[in-house]
Amino acid sequence: MPTDAALPHDVDRRSTSIDEAVAFYERVYDSPDINVGRAVPDGFSWRYRAVGDDEVTVGTSSVGANRWGTVGQGTGYVLAWATAPGLTLDSASRDPLQMQPGVPVMYPVGRDFAFEALPTTQHLIRFDSGFLESVAAARRATVPGPLTFTSTTDAAHLEHLRGLIRAAAPELLDPGTDRDRRAALNMLVAESVVDAYDAAPTVDVALFEGPATMRFAQEWMIANAHRPITGTDVVRAAGVKARALQATFQRHADTTPMAFLRQVRLHRVRAQLVAGDPTSTTVAATAGAWGFAHLGRFAAFYAESFGERPSETLRRVQRFG
């Protein structure tokens, strides 16, 4: 079945030009420092193929030469694995990571890092930060925030993750995959990554205790907080009548479902402002990305929740950074 609209990420680039490869990968990796050296004996070529939506993009990168440089911090989370030895992440650190063939690892997060690579092929899955953070929060029963990951995973989790990726990859790489099917696969892969690498939000706010329906509604709202969901969407997902869900939230948490969702989004905005660069991050854009259309009301909710204006949170990075 065809998708409802063209995917935002459908890229297939290749050539035999080193200059084109450098320029392209500097854009992909948000870096001014990508270098390509001696080519393989049968000549130089490169190819980059990536397909995905605003939640998950899967891709393959093949470069027929040694390369080194810096990968920029970017705005998402990346799971990657190489097909052969010779790819090192964080190569300038005291603890470089030698990627083993076929073993997925998470890229370092929240900072730039150096890399070195022999000619090889690398497979990547890039997760939108808000999407993966919401999935991790739902698994942890807390609100979304920037994630930390363990550097390794146990054999059982690794085998489950690799099996799931093998099964999902053909459909995720197919631009014609139905939107709903793609969303379901995105969620399955994201949940497996969260479990395998013990992804933990740095924001720790527990869910309200209550009946199973209420817990499900909270977890569903956390997992979908990055989407433009409504009260009707929450009720439909929970499978109960609106009046019953409202009464359950009032009885057990003295709040409403949409007020809970607003708090989740406020915490997520705060996490992004705390981590943001005051020279490029704006309160309006961050709030808008999390569904706050009216900046004045958002600022009032924010101040009531955190005791300061959102602009003060953002400026703190500059004062103490």
Side-chain angles (χ1 to χ4, degrees):
M1 182 181 297
T3 185
D4 294 31
L7 290 170
H9 311 293
D10 186 359
V11 180
D12 191 354
R13 290 286 302 276
R14 69 183 84 186
S15 83
T16 57
S17 167
I18 289 179
D19 289 342
E20 287 182 15
V22 169
F24 179 80
Y25 282 102
E26 285 186 341
R27 291 196 301 274
V28 167
Y29 292 121
D30 189 25
S31 169
D33 178 34
I34 299 293
N35 305 277
V36 176
R38 181 176 300 175
V40 295
D42 57 349
F44 176 76
S45 65
W46 65 276
R47 183 184 182 187
Y48 181 90
R49 177 74 174 124
V51 177
D53 56 18
D54 287 333
E55 295 178 342
V56 174
T57 299
V58 296
T60 298
S61 174
S62 299
V63 182
N66 294 351
R67 63 245 190 236
W68 64 93
T70 303
V71 173
Q73 176 177 338
T75 57
Y77 299 100
V78 176
L79 178 77
W81 62 100
T83 60
L87 207 162
T88 304
L89 305 182
D90 238 1
S91 55
S93 73
R94 294 181 179 179
D95 190 23
L97 175 59
Q98 303 284 344
M99 294 180 67
Q100 301 301 312
V103 179
V105 299
M106 297 299 300
Y107 273 11
V109 298
R111 58 183 174 85
D112 298 351
F113 65 91
F115 77 95
E116 297 176 359
L118 299 177
T120 187
T121 296
Q122 183 182 195
H123 300 290
L124 307 102
I125 303 178
R126 184 180 299 274
F127 299 91
D128 170 72
S129 56
F131 171 66
L132 194 63
E133 287 163 9
S134 292
V135 172
R139 303 292 271 188
R140 290 271 184 158
T142 184
V143 300
L147 299 173
T148 60
F149 303 89
T150 56
S151 58
T152 59
T153 184
D154 61 58
H157 276 121
L158 179 60
E159 187 55 35
H160 178 266
L161 175 61
R162 290 196 294 198
L164 183 60
I165 291 171
R166 283 194 298 268
E171 290 182 89
L172 289 175
L173 283 167
D174 180 359
T177 297
D178 174 74
R179 182 178 59 185
D180 292 338
R181 175 60 177 167
R182 183 176 294 275
L185 292 172
N186 288 349
M187 184 65 70
L188 287 173
V189 174
E191 289 176 341
S192 185
V193 167
V194 165
D195 293 342
Y197 297 95
D198 196 25
T202 55
V203 178
D204 187 15
V205 179
L207 302 186
F208 294 115
E209 295 293 332
T213 299
M214 179 178 169
R215 182 178 183 85
F216 177 86
Q218 291 177 92
E219 292 178 349
W220 188 88
M221 283 187 282
I222 288 172
N224 291 277
H226 62 295
R227 301 175 182 271
I229 59 178
T230 65
T232 301
D233 296 325
V234 178
V235 170
R236 185 182 298 114
V240 297
K241 293 183 177 180
R243 183 175 299 177
L245 190 63
Q246 291 275 358
T248 300
F249 268 80
Q250 289 288 356
R251 184 181 311 114
H252 294 277
D254 193 27
T255 189
T256 67
M258 296 310 288
F260 171 80
L261 176 61
R262 182 174 65 229
Q263 283 302 118
V264 170
R265 288 171 166 168
L266 284 170
H267 278 277
R268 192 61 193 92
V269 170
R270 182 173 177 81
Q272 289 191 224
L273 293 180
V274 168
D277 180 352
T279 64
S280 57
T281 302
T282 68
V283 171
T286 306
W290 287 95
F292 293 101
H294 192 288
L295 198 58
R297 284 198 291 269
F298 157 75
F301 287 135
Y302 189 97
E304 181 181 355
S305 296
F306 305 118
E308 65 181 9
R309 295 189 299 274
S311 57
E312 293 174 317
T313 303
L314 183 59
R315 283 199 301 268
R316 186 185 304 115
V317 179
Q318 202 167 33
R319 292 200 303 270
F320 301 113

